[in-house]
Amino acid sequence: MAAPERERRKSRRAGECVLLLVFTCALRCAQSLKDSNVVLILTDDLDVELGGLTPLKKTQTLIGDAGVTFSNAYTVTPLCCPSRSSILSGKYPHNHMVRNNSLSGNCSSKSWQNGPESQAFPLYLSKKLYQTFYGGKYLNQYGSKEAGGVTYVPPGWDQWHALVGNSKYYNYTLSVNGKEETHGDSYEKDYLTDLILNRSLNFLEQRSPQHPFFIMLCPPAPHSPWTAAPQYQKSFIDVKAPRDGSFNKPGKGKHWLLRQPQNPMASSSIDYLDDAFRRRWQTLLSVDDMVEKLVKKLEDINELNNTFIFFTSDNGYHTGQFSLPIDKRQLYEFDIRVPLLVRGPGIQPKQTLQDPVINIDLPMTILDIAGVNLSTVNMDGQSFLPQLVPSARNGTSRPFFLVEYTGEGLFPTDPDCPKLGPGLANCFPDCVCEDAVNNTYACVRTLKDSNLQYCEFADNESFVEVYNLTSDPHQLENIVKKVDPSLLQNMNQRLIKLQSCEGKSCRDIKSHL
Ligand SMILES: *[C@@H]1O[C@H](CO)[C@@H](O)[C@H](O)[C@H]1NC(C)=O
Ligand SMILES: *[C@@H]1O[C@H](CO)[C@@H](O)[C@H](O)[C@H]1NC(C)=O
Ligand SMILES: *[C@@H]1O[C@H](CO)[C@@H](O)[C@H](O)[C@H]1NC(C)=O
Ligand SMILES: *[C@@H]1O[C@H](CO)[C@@H](O)[C@H](O)[C@H]1NC(C)=O
Ligand SMILES: *[C@@H]1O[C@H](CO)[C@@H](O)[C@H](O)[C@H]1NC(C)=O
């Protein structure tokens, strides 16, 4: 931001301060939320169902144990670019229209830039005089020529250190405040997880202490190519992917894509997924160091007790569940559940909260912390600050929510597996395909009155899957033919309402229709 602009904002702020004190201090000071800083750490492909938090010991201590661990946090769509677009815009995919990881599916497209991104949450923080910093992976197509190249910097960011394209650990290009910066493969100079941490620490040193700050750190870990830091390349050598639940089980009674995998899996697939599992964990050790160093720095500059820290992921992951080797994109808990740990002023330590929270709630919660009037914000999510801070605990959490996904596919088919039918993609070892054009679905997930999932596919079978997560937590049995038809009807009605909801109407859909 230009200096005169900063000065103008400062003087405007001085005037606002008096008003703030008179009218809102009683409320906001009591909650010690005034001018709180916020840090959002968004990992890439980190599951919670397969023990993804296990290697993150320091993170669990420094964030989870110091605050809240949410046991029911979800993404509204299990794929990087659509999910990240939801986090930035606070909208379900049917409202931000980012359908997949390609430009043609609106990932970083001009329509996204001119539409949802121009009203994304960082802009509101900037207007509230937050000093903002971004570091790491952004949207998969960010920095491509058609998306405006590296000179394009989304609005609301004062410091911008964003990765061009999809996750990488070395040999990447960054946009540093709109200028291209290329990196090689020296650990000391280039390792991306460490580099974005270092830049965020510099930002903290150079910030103006008069204003709050917002830091968003998006490490590539634990996304492929799973390149661990040299000191961690021998960690977890005896670890294997968990063998319980739906591991190496057939996708019996499920939609057609899940009926394709070879079962039992070939040993080559199992070796491949075990290797991926280990290397994912190795890359997370650098994320754990990042959290430790960042918390230490906040302590050193006396800001730790005035900073909310959110730790989460864009989507979950699977390694061998229902005989699918590795990926995300499916409707099952392993792919849609995400970790969510939060610490901050007013949050009691060592809490586990069952309230359902979805990723489109993150921006609303952050804006709530920043004191933005939420009725002026056009987002589908809702703030969960009332669940976090006891003195403000009067909001209700939602009874159910929507998960929606548009299948990615290639025509004619994945070139590595030419004998398969048309429209398949992401065919991992032994030609088991993780996605297809018609792997397109929408689900209602209920968690309060009942623990159910109801999903409809847009395929030529109009396939429906229903799970009772209480009696069948691993979703082994599709009970669509066993349940009362009135339940299916009720769930279908909720789904229709959710699929066309926007803003307030997404929050107001009643349990009883
Ligand atoms: C991309 O977004 C624009 C508007 O933001 C929308 O008109 C278009 O249909 C979207 N494309 C897809 C593939 O959904
Ligand atoms: C980085 O690029 C160089 C030059 O192309 C190559 O030799 C090296 O193997 C690459 N390193 C990694 C980690 O991919
Ligand atoms: C990050 O900073 C540390 C401490 O100064 C340094 O040892 C390390 O090489 C830096 N890493 C990167 C990638 O900048
Ligand atoms: C935070 O800690 C500092 C010193 O460590 C103290 O001066 C300040 O009052 C504390 N603030 C809050 C909100 O507890
Ligand atoms: C992404 O979505 C667009 C628009 O629907 C589609 O044309 C394109 O094929 C999709 N990309 C993939 C890889 O499925």
Side-chain angles (χ1 to χ4, degrees):
M1 179 188 310
E5 167 68 349
R6 175 75 76 201
E7 285 311 308
R8 194 174 57 74
R9 288 187 181 193
K10 262 191 207 160
S11 61
R12 193 177 68 208
R13 190 178 177 82
E16 275 173 64
C17 238
V18 179
L19 290 177
L20 243 164
L21 281 172
V22 173
F23 293 112
T24 59
C25 194
L27 174 71
R28 308 216 357 115
C29 295
Q31 300 171 354
S32 9
L33 298 179
K34 195 163 156 276
D35 288 352
S36 286
N37 312 303
V38 181
V39 173
L40 171 57
I41 299 169
L42 177 63
T43 53
D44 197 356
D45 278 0
L46 176 60
D47 66 280
V48 68
E49 286 278 289
L50 311 180
L53 285 173
T54 308
L56 294 158
K57 298 272 180 265
K58 295 183 278 195
T59 303
Q60 288 190 63
T61 306
L62 295 170
I63 307 180
D65 293 351
V68 172
T69 301
F70 282 92
S71 54
N72 288 308
Y74 288 84
T75 177
V76 298
T77 185
L79 186 65
C80 305
C81 199
S83 172
R84 285 162 185 258
S85 304
S86 282
I87 292 170
L88 290 162
S89 68
K91 292 176 193 289
Y92 279 117
H94 69 262
N95 288 328
H96 63 53
M97 309 261 224
V98 178
R99 302 299 187 175
N100 59 32
N101 287 341
S102 313
L103 269 167
S104 59
N106 272 332
C107 179
S108 253
S109 70
K110 291 283 171 200
S111 309
W112 153 261
Q113 291 172 3
N114 297 332
E117 195 181 59
S118 68
Q119 301 160 37
F121 79 92
L123 201 61
Y124 290 88
L125 293 179
S126 178
K127 284 184 185 152
K128 277 275 174 185
L129 303 180
Y130 271 71
Q131 302 162 85
T132 58
F133 172 95
Y134 193 93
K137 173 172 168 181
Y138 189 57
L139 301 169
N140 300 43
Q141 300 296 332
Y142 173 75
S144 68
K145 193 162 155 273
E146 300 87 336
V150 293
T151 55
Y152 171 74
V153 177
W157 299 104
D158 297 324
Q159 283 289 325
W160 177 253
H161 302 256
L163 179 66
V164 171
N166 203 0
S167 277
K168 281 185 174 183
Y169 298 77
Y170 291 117
N171 286 351
Y172 54 84
T173 301
L174 291 183
S175 165
V176 176
N177 301 319
K179 289 212 181 71
E180 182 178 276
E181 188 182 284
T182 54
H183 283 264
D185 64 356
S186 138
Y187 173 66
E188 288 73 22
K189 287 196 198 128
D190 305 309
Y191 193 65
L192 184 60
T193 307
D194 295 1
L195 181 120
I196 57 174
L197 166 72
N198 287 358
R199 302 254 165 123
S200 72
L201 301 182
N202 290 344
F203 163 78
L204 285 173
E205 271 163 22
Q206 285 157 16
R207 83 198 194 286
S208 139
Q210 279 79 50
H211 302 289
F213 57 82
F214 172 67
I215 291 176
M216 187 160 171
L217 276 176
C218 305
H223 195 283
S224 63
W226 314 304
T227 318
Q231 68 273 30
Y232 297 134
Q233 285 174 0
K234 296 220 163 62
S235 304
F236 307 121
I237 33 179
D238 297 326
V239 166
K240 288 183 169 180
R243 301 303 203 247
D244 57 350
S246 56
F247 181 84
N248 207 357
K249 292 268 179 1
K252 207 175 65 186
K254 297 183 159 43
H255 63 287
W256 74 274
L257 190 68
L258 270 282
R259 302 194 298 261
Q260 300 305 303
Q262 177 186 335
N263 179 266
M265 303 178 82
S267 61
S268 48
S269 277
I270 295 184
D271 291 347
Y272 183 84
L273 69 87
D274 276 335
D275 179 61
F277 189 89
R278 256 187 310 274
R279 290 166 68 190
R280 279 165 54 79
W281 276 26
Q282 291 167 355
T283 66
L284 288 170
L285 293 174
S286 295
V287 174
D288 213 28
D289 291 342
M290 160 194 275
V291 169
E292 180 185 41
K293 291 188 172 128
L294 189 66
V295 168
K296 173 80 172 47
K297 181 71 168 187
L298 292 170
E299 209 168 10
D300 289 348
I301 60 172
N302 260 325
E303 293 284 2
L304 184 59
N305 62 3
N306 194 27
T307 303
F308 284 83
I309 308 179
F310 296 76
F311 183 93
T312 189
S313 170
D314 50 5
N315 48 255
Y317 206 70
H318 57 258
T319 48
Q321 281 59 42
F322 297 120
S323 310
L324 295 167
I326 56 155
D327 208 24
K328 49 266 179 171
R329 306 166 188 271
Q330 311 303 337
L331 56 89
Y332 309 103
E333 297 283 287
F334 41 75
D335 284 357
I336 62 173
R337 259 183 202 269
V338 291
L340 178 61
L341 312 176
V342 192
R343 69 172 287 164
I347 302 181
Q348 295 303 306
K350 292 195 174 12
Q351 297 184 76
T352 303
L353 290 185
Q354 257 103 50
D355 305 71
V357 167
I358 51 183
N359 61 350
I360 56 175
D361 297 340
L362 283 166
M364 285 296 244
T365 307
I366 291 169
L367 295 184
D368 203 1
I369 289 167
V372 172
N373 176 356
L374 298 184
S375 67
T376 65
V377 179
N378 178 22
M379 292 186 181
D380 303 336
Q382 68 182 46
S383 169
F384 57 88
L385 188 59
Q387 276 77 44
L388 290 173
V389 181
S391 62
R393 191 171 285 171
N394 52 9
T396 53
S397 51
R398 65 171 56 65
F400 53 86
F401 57 87
L402 172 69
V403 175
E404 50 187 356
Y405 182 72
T406 306
E408 280 194 320
L410 297 170
F411 281 100
T413 193
D414 191 316
D416 292 335
C417 305
K419 289 199 192 122
L420 299 172
L424 288 156
N426 295 72
C427 303
F428 283 109
D430 309 310
C431 282
V432 175
C433 301
E434 297 276 355
D435 213 351
V437 168
N438 69 358
N439 182 36
T440 295
Y441 57 82
C443 307
V444 180
R445 182 75 174 87
T446 72
L447 271 142
K448 290 214 84 166
D449 42 347
S450 57
N451 190 9
L452 295 174
Q453 187 183 27
Y454 169 91
C455 302
E456 289 182 5
F457 276 82
D459 58 11
N460 55 18
E461 297 177 314
S462 297
F463 209 83
V464 176
E465 295 188 27
V466 184
Y467 298 97
N468 178 340
L469 279 297
T470 301
S471 58
D472 179 23
H474 298 294
Q475 298 168 294
L476 301 173
E477 191 192 3
N478 177 7
I479 54 170
V480 63
K481 298 211 172 84
K482 287 189 176 171
V483 293
D484 194 328
S486 68
L487 178 100
L488 298 180
Q489 206 172 25
N490 185 270
M491 292 296 236
N492 167 270
Q493 289 303 305
R494 290 181 186 189
L495 189 58
I496 290 170
K497 286 239 157 116
L498 281 168
Q499 283 182 288
S500 60
C501 77
E502 198 190 346
K504 192 170 179 297
S505 70
C506 297
R507 301 185 284 271
D508 287 353
I509 298 170
K510 297 285 177 291
S511 300
H512 305 287
L513 294 159

